[in-house]
Amino acid sequence: MAAPFLRIEGVSKRFGTFEAVRDVTLSIDRGEIFALLGGSGCGKTTLLRMLAGFEEPSAGRIHLDGQDMTGVPPWERPVHMMFQSYALFPHMTVERNVGYGLKHEPMTAAQRADRVRAMLDLVQLAPLAQRRPHQISGGQRQRVALARALARQPKLLLLDEPLAALDKKLREHTQFELMSIQERTGVTFIVVTHDQEEAMTLADRIAVMDRGAVQQVGPPAEVYEHPASRFVANFLGSMSQFDAVVTGIEGATARLEVPAFGTAIEAQAIPAIAPGERLTLALRPEKVAIHHDRPEGPNVVAGEVRDLAYFGKDSLYRVTLPTGELIAVHAVNARRKGDKRPDWHDRVWIRFDPASAILLRR
């Protein structure tokens, strides 16, 4: 197999006695969009700064396209970093902002002008070339920063919270623009974000970080559907979690005693599971169905609607279980009219498939 395009080997970063990044090892392929996902202070931006050369690792090595980056200054790395603030020059036009990084490249004036035009065409901003940053929208400023970053044709583009300054609708639209531009250029993107939806939309793979360490790496669907720990399960989407004890194993199915439900529960068994083992049973709200009448099948529990949030396209229920604990249930509002939806204080039944239940050891 070919060597990875970017290899991060046992990288740590300490500031005095504080360890901001702890023993991170990652392999990233050429042309991949890779997301570093985590909350504030988890170490993701520090790791990004080490890739850019703004910080030196306290331990470990970084190899980019077969070259050891140890001691290589930022200006000599085939890397560009796009900052959260965009850092555009307010007195320069869009065109001059995009071309600023090319001033010291070994190019003729005509070649620089051609490159700038190509970048403006790429981000669809050619008609705005003579405007200044304050004369364009936030989404357009984001595209100017992206064009400037790509103008020097880096092998690796680092994006630090690139969409944080945009409103929700513009952020959603820009996510797909970024994906399209990355596909056309083939540049490897590493995106730092705290927004789980942004990471899952943009990235081919995600590394979830906490307290300086990588907790799990994988494609979005794998990390979401099969979290490796309670932290990952909680961070990537919402979860209802309950204490459980394994009472038996039948083939690929585990039978559980879950005090919160007051009834036997079935779930898909995990490796090396054993009777008597104490686990956490986790359920995504969208994996749980809510009914007025008792449905057929396993994992049926009675409850009462305590809270209801109507979002138009869907609704979120919080249902009180027999023991008083709460479970979240997400229901899509597929019809404008029709069957009466559960309402506050209604007696209801919830049900979930055994394959939808997630069993966690840590």
Side-chain angles (χ1 to χ4, degrees), residues 256-265 300-302 321-323 325:
L256 308 164
E257 177 188 341
V258 183
F261 293 150
T263 185
I265 295 297
V300 176
V301 183
L321 297 171
T323 55
E325 293 190 59

Side-chain angles (χ1 to χ4, degrees), residues 10 29 34 65 74 89-90 111 124 151 159 212 223 249 289 305 314 319 341:
D29 294 331
F34 192 91
D65 201 16
F89 297 106
Q111 289 172 328
Q124 301 176 31
L159 300 99
V223 177
I249 310 294
V305 176
D314 49 39
V319 176
R341 302 184 186 96

Side-chain angles (χ1 to χ4, degrees), residues 4 24 26 34 44 57 81 143 192 212 235 287 313 335 358:
V24 169
L26 292 169
F34 192 91
K44 58 188 187 297
M81 186 165 177
R143 283 187 279 156
V192 156
F235 193 84
K287 308 294 187 184
K313 61 184 173 62
R335 301 178 182 177
I358 300 171

Side-chain angles (χ1 to χ4, degrees), residues 177-192:
E177 285 192 338
L178 274 177
M179 294 163 65
S180 175
I181 290 168
Q182 189 276 335
E183 185 177 6
R184 280 180 279 163
T185 61
V187 175
T188 305
F189 281 18
I190 297 183
V191 181
V192 156

Side-chain angles (χ1 to χ4, degrees), residues 221-243:
E222 178 185 307
V223 177
Y224 184 83
E225 299 289 354
H226 304 284
S229 66
R230 295 175 190 173
F231 172 82
V232 175
N234 281 323
F235 193 84
L236 209 66
S238 57
M239 277 275 194
S240 298
Q241 298 186 20
F242 307 96
D243 293 332

